[in-house]
Each structure stands twice: as C-alpha cells, then as structure tokens.
Amino acid sequence: MIRAPHIEETGRLVELGEATGIFEPGESDALLRATLDAHHARQLAPPHEIWVWAAPATGRAAGWTYYGPSSRGEWEVFWIGVAPADHGQGVGAALLAFVEDRVLRAGGCVLYIETSSAPALAKARRFYERHGYVVIQVDRGHYGDSVDRVTFAKTLGEGLSGGARP
C-alpha cells in the first residue's frame, strides 16, 4: 500500500535510508530527515511529493520515494529506497510505477533518475534498466575520483511498461 509518510515513522525511514546505501553515513539523517520534516510542516515546494510503501498487513514502512518537477514536462526521482530485507518483493517496482503514473497524470513526459556508479548501487542501476530507463549521461568523477554520477531517463506514456526512449 502506498501512502503519505506518518510523522512518527520519520526515524524508521531515516534508518531505511541509511541501510539502502543511497546516502553516505550521516547523510540520511541530514537529508532525508530534513525532507520528511519539510513534508510534515507542509513546506515542500508543490508539486514535490514524498510517499511511502507500507506492508498491507502491518502498515510498517518498507520503502519510500521523493520526486518533483525539474522543468516543464520533465520530472526527477530524487530518491527511491527500499529496506534491504524487502528487496525483490516488488516494493521498488510499485513505488516507481506509482511515481510514473502520478507524473504522467501531472502532464510530465520524461522522468530522470540520478545515481552513482558506486558498487553498492549496482543493484539499483540494474533495477532502473529493467524498468525501461536508459543511461543518458555519465559525469566522470562527480562524486570523487572513481565514482561517477549516472543519469537515467525514461519517456512516459505509450504504455508505461516501456515508454519511448529519450
């Protein structure tokens, strides 16, 4: 089930952020907590949104996504994270499909996702490719001498399962 995050689960989501490898140590607390706090204070610039995937039986958060527009018709997934114990269970796919649908309904036509070339995020890069995203840019050494920024994109519409290539 996908729903808005509850204020009382901020700590759990920050822990998930740390566990995913998306953030460097300490960054999850600073970045994800700040985004969640802004969401709860209704200070996220509309239409930026943060959503949580929660287990239907328990309501416990197992993943989250944060996305927003980057320019006219173009949107960006800033973060999508799933608890490592829930990888391969469809949580990430459900969140990504949810975002694609919301972006398409908001008039978006292209969705971008930036990640790094760090080995810890290899699984995430394969996930994006399996869901129809293509690498459109690699910025060598963006995050350090041997860690590149990798930008994926997908054109939405015409059957969200594949979409046209940007």
Side-chain angles (χ1 to χ4, degrees):
M1 140 174 96
I2 297 175
R3 59 165 171 76
H6 300 153
I7 195 166
E8 64 273 4
E9 66 192 356
T10 296
R12 162 97 175 129
L13 292 169
V14 168
E15 288 173 9
L16 284 180
E18 191 77 28
T20 64
I22 294 172
F23 302 101
E24 293 294 319
E27 280 185 342
S28 180
D29 191 58
L31 299 172
L32 183 53
R33 183 179 302 278
T35 302
L36 288 162
D37 288 348
H39 166 80
H40 294 303
R42 300 179 193 271
Q43 295 172 341
L44 281 182
H48 287 202
E49 295 185 346
I50 189 164
W51 293 92
V52 167
W53 186 94
T58 64
R60 184 176 168 103
W64 86 97
T65 187
Y66 171 51
Y67 66 97
S70 57
S71 67
R72 183 179 225 167
E74 298 178 347
W75 291 62
E76 182 175 352
V77 173
F78 303 113
W79 302 315
I80 185 169
V82 175
D86 293 294
H87 284 185
Q89 304 299 312
V91 174
L95 283 166
L96 190 56
F98 178 84
V99 170
E100 289 175 352
D101 183 62
R102 302 237 345 149
V103 167
L104 193 59
R105 289 173 190 260
C109 56
V110 178
L111 189 57
Y112 296 99
I113 303 173
E114 288 183 0
T115 190
S116 83
S117 65
L121 294 174
K123 196 173 183 180
R125 292 189 302 276
R126 288 191 304 272
F127 170 81
Y128 300 137
E129 289 171 344
R130 279 194 319 274
H131 288 86
Y133 288 79
V134 295
V135 174
I136 61 163
Q137 186 172 347
V138 176
D139 297 316
R140 303 282 178 213
H142 181 83
Y143 298 112
D145 289 340
S146 61
V147 182
D148 307 332
R149 177 173 58 191
V150 181
T151 304
F152 289 86
K154 180 178 179 180
T155 301
L156 302 179
E158 299 290 325
L160 280 178
S161 62
R165 306 285 185 203

